[in-house]
């Protein structure tokens, strides 16, 4: 399966997918799907902790398909909120290398990346037991124990950006 990246209007990714599925019902016979990855973040407001879903890659949607037909490309390009295909709208290329590995890492946890289970070693370094942070330990740039968040540096098409991923500390003193 190949994965292509589309840049769309930020905070309108789900609306873009809904609009595409409504206006292009004829393409449902073609084997492809649009993917918008999210992360579950605990947010404390007025003393109440709620789970909020935020995008992992804000402004980006991924197309999973064996081939990328001109009809699908044109249907996506004509929708409001579409900006471009990556790396180039004229000749989109599937993700490969580190970009593909990063995307597949998050896809392995489903469409929503939940909290990771972590512990801290005797040197107070984070050790990931399971969850979306597993395998990204080398990319963690900051840990906030109080909020239960780790700031992770991700790369996509030679651009680096930081995102927060939630974690829960495994109590090993029991």
């Amino acid at each position: 399966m190949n994965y292509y990246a589309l840049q769309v209007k930020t905070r309108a990714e789900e609306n873009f997918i809904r609009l595409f599925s409504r206006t292009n019902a004829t393409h449902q016979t073609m084997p492809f799907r649009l993917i918008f990855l999210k992360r579950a973040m605990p947010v404390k407001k007025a003393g109440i902790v709620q789970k909020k879903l935020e995008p992992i890659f804000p402004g980006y949607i991924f197309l999973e398909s064996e081939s990328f037909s001109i009809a699908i490309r044109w249907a996506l390009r004509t929708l409001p909120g579409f900006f471009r295909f990556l790396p180039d709208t004229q000749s989109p290329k599937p993700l490969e290398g580190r970009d593909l590995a990063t995307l597949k890492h998050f896809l392995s946890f489903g469409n929503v990346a939940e909290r990771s289970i972590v512990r801290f070693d005797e040197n107070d370094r984070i050790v990931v037991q399971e969850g979306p942070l597993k395998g990204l330990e080398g990319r963690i740039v900051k840990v906030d124990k109080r909020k239960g968040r780790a700031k992770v540096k991700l790369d996509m098409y030679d651009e680096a950006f930081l995102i927060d991923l939630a974690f829960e500390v495994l109590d090993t003193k029991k």
Side-chain angles (χ1 to χ4, degrees):
M1 222 22 108
N2 291 321
Y3 294 93
Y4 299 88
L6 294 78
Q7 187 177 14
V8 298
K9 185 176 179 183
T10 304
R11 302 210 190 286
E13 299 93 348
E14 290 176 325
N15 291 336
F16 184 88
I17 291 172
R18 264 195 301 276
L19 183 62
F20 179 76
S21 61
R22 274 201 322 252
T23 58
N24 294 291
T26 58
H27 295 296
Q28 297 302 331
T29 58
M30 295 181 192
F32 73 91
R33 75 178 171 136
L34 292 174
I35 303 165
F36 176 53
L37 296 171
K38 295 177 237 164
R39 59 198 158 112
M41 296 297 296
V43 177
K44 190 174 187 178
K45 192 171 184 179
I48 300 170
V49 178
Q50 295 178 339
K51 185 167 102 172
K52 184 178 178 186
L53 294 179
E54 296 178 358
I56 293 176
F57 303 102
Y60 292 95
I61 295 174
F62 300 95
L63 175 91
E64 177 187 61
S65 178
E66 282 296 328
S67 64
F68 198 20
S69 74
I70 293 174
I72 294 173
R73 221 163 57 194
W74 184 253
L76 289 166
R77 285 180 65 174
T78 57
L79 287 176
F82 174 84
F83 291 146
R84 66 187 180 125
F85 294 108
L86 295 176
D88 178 26
T89 301
Q90 300 302 341
S91 57
K93 293 184 177 108
L95 293 174
E96 53 189 28
R98 193 169 183 176
D99 296 339
L100 182 61
T102 301
L103 178 65
K104 284 189 173 185
H105 172 79
F106 286 107
L107 281 174
S108 69
F109 298 101
N111 284 345
V112 177
E114 297 289 339
R115 288 184 189 191
S116 294
I117 306 296
V118 303
R119 66 177 178 80
F120 290 90
D121 66 9
E122 61 277 352
N123 296 324
D124 211 28
R125 287 183 297 204
I126 192 167
V127 178
V128 182
Q129 301 294 307
E130 61 182 62
L133 284 171
K134 185 105 174 135
L136 299 177
E137 293 89 351
R139 298 184 189 186
I140 296 173
V141 294
K142 184 179 177 186
V143 174
D144 187 338
K145 286 184 184 179
R146 186 180 65 81
K147 288 185 178 181
R149 295 181 183 193
K151 199 168 286 289
V152 180
K153 182 180 179 183
L154 295 179
D155 303 316
M156 187 65 68
Y157 282 107
D158 298 328
E159 288 188 31
F161 54 94
L162 298 173
I163 66 163
D164 285 344
L165 290 174
F167 66 81
E168 185 176 335
V169 179
L170 179 66
D171 189 15
T172 57
K173 296 176 183 171
K174 288 184 180 179

